[in-house]
Amino acid sequence: MQWLDIWGHQQQDYRSWPSVVENEQQTIRMRLNHHATKLRLKFSNLYGSEAIIFEKIEVQLLDEQGKVTGTTIAVNGGDPIIIPSGVSKQVSEPIEVFCSPNQILEVRTYLKRETQLTGGIVSYSRLQQEVLNYHWAGETQGNFIDQKERFRIAKENQRMFYIYGIAGIQAETEGQTIVAFGDSLTQQGFWVDALKQRIQHEGNANVAVINKGIGGGRILRDTNPEADSYQRHGRSGLKRYLLDTFEVENVNTVIVSHGINDILTWTERQSSRRLIADIINGLIFYAEEAWLRNATPWIATLMPFKGSDFYSYQQEELREQVNAWIRNQKLYAGVVDFDHAVRAEDHRYVKRAYECGDGLHLSAKGGQAAAKAFDLNQLCK
């Protein structure tokens, strides 16, 4: 038995969209895919402007109908948990929780004092997790609060959900840990969650998929300072890949879906030949570093984007050149062809039912179509 990450997302920098809250109960539910008797909570306040102090944290298991299947357990004996600003990883003491695949873990955090929140997890898909927020009145749960009324992050983008303080879940178990590394197409979670669901439904217990996507992220460049004075879109993939991917415990497989934003932000002032060479070198770096760490790398082709505001004929040529390299390279153990899986009859577009309305990002159906492109016999070994 060893401690494995079984659920988690990438911490993101929202200092540009701060929110001040107090008397807050946050209820997070995530579907599990592991047999385990002990769990640990991972905390993070990497981009915090001040400490997060949870007055208490409770966990319990639910069945598929949402009924409680065990006793409520106080984390840390019910004592307050302090997560200082700048802390990227803090782990709770082990919690005895007897869990099985398809059960739902519910984590409730209670934040009493006024706190400015400036970082945490953001995602879109609610297929494998959800978060609910309530006004906490003393020892009782108060009224439900819509996130867009509570957090600047959700107000600015109302498709998002936001989780603060909690960064992941670990279990003492055996199994396979897959990390999905990429940009918003990964961060939004539609193909990641659909892949998790396929893995569960096809009987592959004890396989986790950890989401390490950051919206707007590029392989070659950090967040554009004209778009955000902080790092809302993350540092370049070349800078963050090793730290963000391999801080996950015992990674077995890495799925890379990255590079489209480097193409979308290309201008004619840049050398297209140099850009393609740099993107390919970045993808080579990802694969080689995974192999060095005994992790098997997979790579996804870049999806169409003609229906978006970013499209140009020259950028489409760049995408096709990168995809040609991806399909023919021998560095990655597996290629998943997202491009073929989601494109319309006109291959420059995502199929209308598979995109969210902006011509670029996936819908839930698009995520399911992308997830079907995986060969699970090869991926889940």
Side-chain angles (χ1 to χ4, degrees):
M1 293 288 190
Q2 56 189 336
W3 286 102
L4 299 178
D5 288 79
I6 62 170
W7 177 87
H9 291 252
Q10 181 59 32
Q11 288 290 299
Q12 295 189 223
D13 184 352
Y14 277 92
R15 288 175 289 177
S16 55
W17 290 349
S19 299
V20 177
V21 300
E22 62 180 328
N23 297 326
E24 171 85 10
Q25 179 189 325
Q26 175 182 240
T27 299
I28 311 159
R29 298 181 183 130
M30 67 283 292
R31 188 174 297 277
L32 302 177
N33 191 36
H34 287 73
H35 298 279
T37 58
K38 291 182 181 179
L39 300 177
R40 298 193 304 201
L41 305 186
K42 289 175 66 177
F43 306 106
S44 179
N45 190 18
L46 180 58
Y47 301 106
S49 59
E50 58 183 296
I52 294 174
I53 303 176
F54 289 128
E55 294 294 316
K56 62 178 179 177
I57 298 179
E58 299 170 330
V59 300
Q60 62 184 9
L61 288 170
L62 312 178
D63 63 18
E64 293 193 65
Q65 286 71 46
K67 297 179 180 178
V68 177
T69 60
T71 58
T72 301
I73 301 168
V75 179
N76 205 40
D79 294 332
I81 293 175
I82 302 172
I83 314 162
S85 61
V87 168
S88 62
K89 181 180 177 182
Q90 183 174 316
V91 182
S92 76
E93 292 298 315
I95 309 159
E96 288 196 0
V97 181
F98 294 82
C99 57
S100 302
N102 285 319
Q103 285 187 302
I104 297 167
L105 182 71
E106 181 177 272
V107 179
R108 297 194 299 269
T109 67
Y110 298 85
L111 184 69
K112 183 177 181 180
R113 73 170 194 173
E114 182 179 286
T115 304
Q116 179 171 264
L117 301 172
T118 51
I121 289 169
V122 295
S123 193
Y124 293 63
S125 171
R126 294 159 173 83
L127 185 63
Q128 294 288 302
Q129 65 273 300
E130 68 173 342
V131 58
L132 305 169
N133 297 83
Y134 302 89
H135 179 77
W136 178 34
E139 293 302 312
T140 62
Q141 175 180 295
N143 297 325
F144 169 78
I145 303 171
D146 193 309
Q147 283 208 343
K148 67 177 179 291
E149 305 298 330
R150 191 68 158 171
F151 304 112
R152 172 80 183 273
I153 295 165
K155 183 177 181 180
E156 294 290 341
N157 187 336
Q158 296 185 14
R159 294 177 61 223
M160 284 183 175
F161 66 81
Y162 172 56
I163 294 172
Y164 57 88
I166 303 296
I169 307 294
Q170 294 182 327
E172 189 177 48
T173 185
E174 300 290 345
Q176 179 181 357
T177 302
I178 300 170
V179 171
F181 182 84
D183 47 45
S184 57
L185 292 162
T186 298
Q187 173 223 30
Q188 292 188 7
F190 293 110
W191 73 259
V192 177
D193 280 6
L195 176 60
K196 290 181 185 180
Q197 189 176 60
R198 267 198 73 196
I199 288 170
Q200 292 164 352
H201 286 179
E202 296 187 26
N204 294 286
N206 285 17
V207 177
V209 185
I210 308 299
N211 191 325
K212 289 290 183 174
I214 292 183
R218 297 179 285 188
I219 295 173
L220 303 174
R221 296 186 180 183
D222 298 346
T223 292
N224 181 351
E226 295 180 2
D228 194 284
S229 56
Y230 293 103
Q231 290 289 326
R232 180 155 42 100
H233 299 148
R235 299 178 303 157
S236 71
L238 295 177
K239 291 179 182 177
R240 79 177 188 90
Y241 174 71
L242 295 181
L243 177 62
D244 293 350
T245 301
F246 296 101
E247 67 90 21
V248 176
E249 301 286 345
N250 300 297
V251 178
N252 303 107
T253 305
V254 180
I255 302 169
V256 172
S257 175
H258 214 196
I260 195 65
N261 288 323
D262 297 86
I263 291 172
L264 296 181
T265 55
W266 173 82
T267 68
E268 293 183 3
R269 295 191 300 273
Q270 301 170 276
S271 165
S272 59
R273 183 177 299 178
R274 176 64 182 273
L275 176 67
I276 293 298
D278 288 346
I279 289 173
I280 289 172
N281 284 335
L283 297 175
I284 291 171
F285 169 79
Y286 292 163
E288 290 179 341
E289 294 297 324
W291 287 120
L292 282 173
R293 288 159 178 78
N294 298 313
T296 303
W298 280 56
I299 190 168
T301 52
L302 304 182
M303 289 180 267
F305 61 96
K306 186 174 181 185
S308 75
D309 294 336
F310 303 99
Y311 179 84
S312 74
Y313 173 77
Q314 296 92 333
Q315 289 167 320
E316 173 62 17
E317 285 192 329
L318 297 177
R319 183 182 76 91
E320 291 179 2
Q321 289 178 51
V322 173
N323 278 349
W325 180 85
I326 290 172
R327 292 186 178 109
N328 290 287
Q329 54 71 42
K330 303 299 181 184
L331 278 171
Y332 285 83
V335 175
V336 56
D337 205 331
F338 284 172
D339 176 33
H340 280 163
V342 305
R343 70 190 189 185
E345 185 175 348
D346 181 339
H347 69 275
R348 297 167 297 177
Y349 290 89
V350 176
K351 189 179 291 187
R352 183 65 188 89
Y354 291 170
E355 53 100 351
C356 69
D358 65 7
L360 173 64
H361 294 98
L362 297 178
S363 64
K365 286 185 178 180
Q368 291 169 351
K372 286 179 182 177
F374 283 93
D375 182 344
L376 292 192
N377 290 326
Q378 293 298 314
L379 183 67
C380 301
K381 291 184 175 180

